[in-house]
Amino acid sequence: MERRKFLTLAASSAVATIVAPHLASAQPPLFEAQTVQGTVMATRGPISGAMLPLNGPAVDGIRYRPRFRFGMGGTQIGNIFAPISDAQARATLQAAWDGGVRYFDTSPFYGHGLSEHRLGAFLRDKPRDAFLVSTKVGRIFHPSRQPLAPTLWAEKLNFSYEYAYTAEGARRSVEDSLQRLGLASIDIVYIHDLGPENTELPQPWTRAYEIARTGAMVELERMRDEGLIKAWGFGINRPDAAVKAATDDAPTPDIVLLACQYSIIDHEEALKNTLPALAAKGITVTVGTPLNDGFLGGRNRYHFSDKLPAGVVEKRARLAAVADRHGIDIRTAALQFAAAPSVVSAIVPGARIPGQVEANIQSMKVGIPKAFWDELRAEQVILPDAPVPV
């Protein structure tokens, strides 16, 4: 089921976690707590750090690297799959802030503006130099006089959109985001959903790319020079546009958000092709969906689809069995694995409830033994040359 056609599930099923019996038995107890919406996998393993990881000083040849290596994605506070209240969204953001999270990723597309509104309201009283925000361009939103049809955004704001990868569209989108966020500048702007998987585009993706190459990409460079933004790139579910921009005569992105492309159980294509192509141009990477859209938290949903690719359930079970033998949980292993490559600047897992973001933060502080990674290689869960934490 293609992402943009994935209809909103009823709240009772959208938030229910279905755990395969072999997964639960391979790593007991899999979940620590059940909440009103969402579940929390118990964190296992020795805590070896007190702070979330940060990036070091600027390095020659690297176009842009944010300070913070761990952030929070904003799809859930945009009501993806099931609605949450303003109070729950704020409580989740507060838990992230209290735990040291200072990088927040959002998009006008998330809840048709809702995610940006909620994030902006939360950040209103925070010092501007204390946090980093990334958002996206590619769609322009307009108030709709008619109720919008159901989509993957439950109880979204009643704004329809049109695609706009032009210079004017990018400028308008950034200015609209500044209004929704209540900010005077944005740290990172990603060109959103420009790729072959987006069947909703009104023209072939290659045509949309050409529009962006002489439009949005040039305008984002101009906004960076003006100081309105600090960096720009692509926020995409397939690497095609980012790799194309890194290898042709287009303006060179500073940083790219790769969603659904690099995880502990799915990383071969990115490791062999995408990451080297970006690194060669000094482009760093933010990893989105490092838990495969909750699949590595036990859900039977993978990359915004209820159709599971062949072999992923079995691979998750093998990962869980190895993790259990070494006394850690698979979420912790997955998050630290996604952050390990040198080209990766940050990871931005999402969270629906405070307990989820608190658990994600805790996972980044667990010390994972080298023997665990050695066994994953031996079991062919990860590639022999896949970077791992040290």
Side-chain angles (χ1 to χ4, degrees), residues 33 45 48 84 112 114 152 157 165 206 214-215 245 261 286 314 330 350 371 384:
S48 62
I84 65 173
H112 292 206
L114 181 62
L152 76 167
L157 300 184
Y165 293 113
T206 50
T214 58
Q261 295 173 66
T286 299
E314 183 271 340
I330 63 174

Side-chain angles (χ1 to χ4, degrees), residues 215-291:
M217 296 164 73
V218 174
E219 191 67 13
L220 290 170
E221 294 255 289
R222 186 174 293 116
M223 284 187 259
R224 186 189 60 200
D225 294 342
E226 294 169 2
L228 192 61
I229 67 175
K230 292 180 180 176
W232 71 274
F234 292 89
I236 44 181
N237 296 342
R238 287 269 299 272
D240 307 64
V243 172
K244 187 172 177 60
T247 55
D248 67 13
D249 60 353
T252 303
D254 302 305
I255 184 169
V256 171
L257 194 160
L258 299 178
C260 308
Q261 295 173 66
Y262 193 80
S263 78
I264 197 168
I265 61 171
D266 180 15
H267 51 270
E268 183 171 2
E269 173 66 22
L271 197 59
K272 290 185 176 181
N273 299 311
T274 309
L275 299 188
L278 299 178
K281 287 295 188 74
I283 303 166
T284 63
V285 170
T286 299
V287 175
T289 61
L291 301 177

Side-chain angles (χ1 to χ4, degrees), residues 8-80:
T8 306
L9 301 174
S12 60
S13 61
V15 300
T17 300
I18 307 171
V19 182
H22 57 261
L23 180 60
S25 62
Q27 189 176 341
L30 185 61
F31 292 108
E32 185 174 64
Q34 183 92 23
T35 60
V36 175
Q37 288 186 348
T39 50
V40 182
M41 178 181 286
T43 306
R44 302 175 66 193
I47 302 300
S48 62
M51 303 284 292
L52 285 171
L54 298 173
N55 286 310
V59 177
D60 289 345
I62 300 298
R63 298 184 61 85
Y64 176 81
R65 196 183 288 277
R67 284 181 290 164
F68 310 108
R69 289 189 60 80
F70 183 84
M72 175 180 157
T75 57
Q76 285 89 335
I77 64 169
N79 285 357
I80 195 169

Side-chain angles (χ1 to χ4, degrees), residues 302-366:
Y302 190 92
H303 293 176
F304 308 100
S305 173
D306 56 357
K307 295 182 179 179
L308 305 182
V312 296
V313 172
E314 183 271 340
K315 198 169 188 179
R316 181 178 63 180
R318 286 193 287 129
L319 169 63
V322 175
D324 189 55
R325 286 196 288 273
H326 291 272
I328 63 170
D329 63 282
I330 63 174
R331 182 198 62 245
T332 291
L335 292 177
Q336 292 198 26
F337 178 89
S342 59
V343 70
V344 170
S345 281
I347 63 171
V348 286
R352 171 177 297 279
I353 57 170
Q356 288 176 340
V357 72
E358 291 164 352
N360 290 343
I361 292 167
Q362 193 81 339
S363 282
M364 298 305 292
K365 302 176 182 179
V366 171

